[in-house]
Amino acid sequence: MDSKSKQGYTDNPHFETMSSDFLYHINISTSSHDLKKLFSDVKFVCIGGSNGRMLNVAKYLAKELSSYMPETVDFTDLTGSSDRFVMYKVGPVLSASHGMGVPSMSILLNEIFKLLTHAGAKDVTIFRLGSSGGLGIKPGTVVVTTEAVNGEIKPVYEQFILGKRCERASVLDQRIAEDVKSCGTSEDDFEVVLGKTMCAGGFYEEQGRLDGAICHYTAEDKFTFLQKLYDSGVRNIEMECTGLAALTNQVNMKAAIVCVGLLNRLENDQVTTPVEKLHEFEMRPAKIVGRYIKKKLDEA
Ligand code: R2B
Ligand code: URA
């Protein structure tokens, strides 16, 4: 597909022939919403798995970036009655949930890319603020992804399109990863590290767990694979990174993936961290990314 098909954050020659567009899963339409008025000033998009966490992220960023916020910030879920995802706008930041796994996230990304294109938003950076299983790191450590790899430890995202297997490179901007990492300070009570992230198609067998309902390998097989991942530079495992890297690369949107490791998979399979601690862990990526966004807004 040639560059003529690229308009805003899309890569689709059919896009410009559409007279109206209903973004079904976020319940926003070009015919009922003035997208330019509502979203043209968006510069940062934060996405993460759960609805509740992305409301907390919106509230946290509204407070941390208060000098860049309107006088009153409205925490109304912009997806209204969609009941699939939530999305909040706080000043120049969108905070939205994407559910679990690449298929769910890819639906949200397609609709956010189109939303921002209809709105004429420019120079947008997207962050996934996620949870993950750490590899050889202390629980609570934040990993900023340098390379997103699939279950074969390759930096590709596989899709089946019109009956054909299609591989897209999962490319991430190293400069942003390093800049985000550098937002961690020695005063934080957790570490921020750079590392590769493995994207799994499931939580149990696909992540080498022994505690799923189905498992046809030995504990030794599991540790051999996790050690191989660790030796390849992988520091955490989650379920969205290759999709995010490949899809944002396709539309030229800058992206970073910042996930907290909830446990060390070289020691455990079950996530047994107390719930208050988990909630505190889960806000750590937002703390780091909040500082990065503040720095960028101060520089602008
Ligand atoms: C991390 O946590 C979820 C699974 O528990 C999944 O969305 C992911 O990537
Ligand atoms: N999310 C994952 O995908 N894996 C984990 O081990 C923890 C959170």
Side-chain angles (χ1 to χ4, degrees):
M1 197 131 315
D2 65 33
S3 60
K4 278 193 234 123
S5 63
K6 301 209 178 197
Q7 184 193 337
Y9 293 111
T10 64
D11 183 8
N12 172 8
H14 309 285
F15 181 73
E16 59 195 82
T17 66
M18 292 171 70
S19 56
S20 69
D21 193 5
F22 177 43
L23 308 171
Y24 166 56
H25 302 86
I26 55 174
N27 193 26
I28 290 178
S29 159
T30 52
S31 44
S32 57
H33 295 71
D34 183 344
L35 298 186
K36 282 200 164 46
K37 188 165 156 211
L38 291 169
F39 298 106
S40 62
D41 64 336
V42 170
K43 291 288 173 211
F44 304 97
V45 179
C46 294
I47 59 171
S50 96
N51 293 353
R53 178 152 46 87
M54 296 323 287
L55 172 59
N56 291 337
V57 166
K59 289 183 173 166
Y60 175 79
L61 293 178
K63 213 164 113 213
E64 289 302 303
L65 310 171
S66 56
S67 53
Y68 296 98
M69 293 294 145
E71 230 151 73
T72 50
V73 183
D74 182 2
F75 295 106
T76 304
D77 174 9
L78 299 172
T79 74
S81 55
S82 110
D83 211 25
R84 291 286 183 188
F85 303 117
V86 295
M87 187 166 75
Y88 305 95
K89 183 172 183 300
V90 288
V93 185
L94 278 186
S95 174
S97 61
H98 60 56
M100 285 190 277
V102 175
S104 175
M105 185 200 58
S106 121
I107 294 171
L108 178 82
L109 285 184
N110 270 271
E111 294 183 8
I112 285 190
F113 293 164
K114 293 199 293 167
L115 175 86
L116 295 175
T117 303
H118 289 303
K122 302 237 156 38
D123 297 321
V124 178
T125 307
I126 187 163
F127 304 92
R128 173 169 135 70
L129 312 179
S131 60
S132 62
L135 263 189
I137 57 173
K138 192 173 161 215
T141 301
V142 172
V143 180
V144 184
T145 304
T146 52
E147 185 170 70
V149 296
N150 66 9
E152 292 180 315
I153 328 184
K154 292 185 182 144
V156 288
Y157 166 52
E158 176 190 87
Q159 284 172 284
F160 289 91
I161 301 173
L162 301 184
K164 291 199 186 108
R165 185 173 174 276
C166 162
E167 269 191 8
R168 288 184 170 147
S170 55
V171 178
L172 286 167
D173 188 316
Q174 298 302 302
R175 174 80 195 275
I176 300 182
E178 279 160 28
D179 287 353
V180 170
K181 192 242 175 232
S182 73
C183 291
T185 75
S186 54
E187 270 144 54
D188 292 322
D189 56 357
F190 57 91
E191 257 197 284
V192 183
V193 299
L194 289 168
K196 294 185 192 177
T197 301
M198 187 189 105
C199 186
F203 188 77
Y204 290 99
E205 289 176 287
E206 296 88 341
Q207 298 193 19
R209 285 186 150 83
L210 299 173
D211 63 340
I214 300 156
C215 179
H216 293 180
Y217 45 77
T218 65
E220 195 190 346
D221 295 336
K222 163 192 160 173
F223 283 110
T224 303
F225 179 64
L226 292 186
Q227 192 60 49
K228 183 174 171 192
L229 285 179
Y230 185 85
D231 294 342
S232 313
V234 174
R235 291 294 173 269
N236 62 344
I237 305 175
E238 44 81 281
M239 295 175 56
E240 291 85 14
C241 62
T242 52
L244 183 76
L247 296 172
T248 52
N249 182 45
Q250 200 75 24
V251 300
N252 286 323
M253 185 181 284
K254 288 173 275 176
I257 301 171
V258 188
C259 294
V260 67
L262 302 181
L263 73 166
N264 178 3
R265 289 297 320 290
L266 297 181
E267 287 171 2
N268 283 318
D269 284 345
Q270 300 234 311
V271 184
T272 51
T273 316
V275 75
E276 296 76 33
K277 192 81 200 152
L278 274 185
H279 287 152
E280 192 265 306
F281 278 4
E282 284 179 351
M283 286 307 283
R284 290 179 177 182
K287 279 192 190 162
I288 300 302
V289 167
R291 289 178 201 158
Y292 176 89
I293 294 178
K294 181 153 191 317
K295 216 165 90 184
K296 289 289 153 190
L297 289 171
D298 289 345
E299 281 166 16

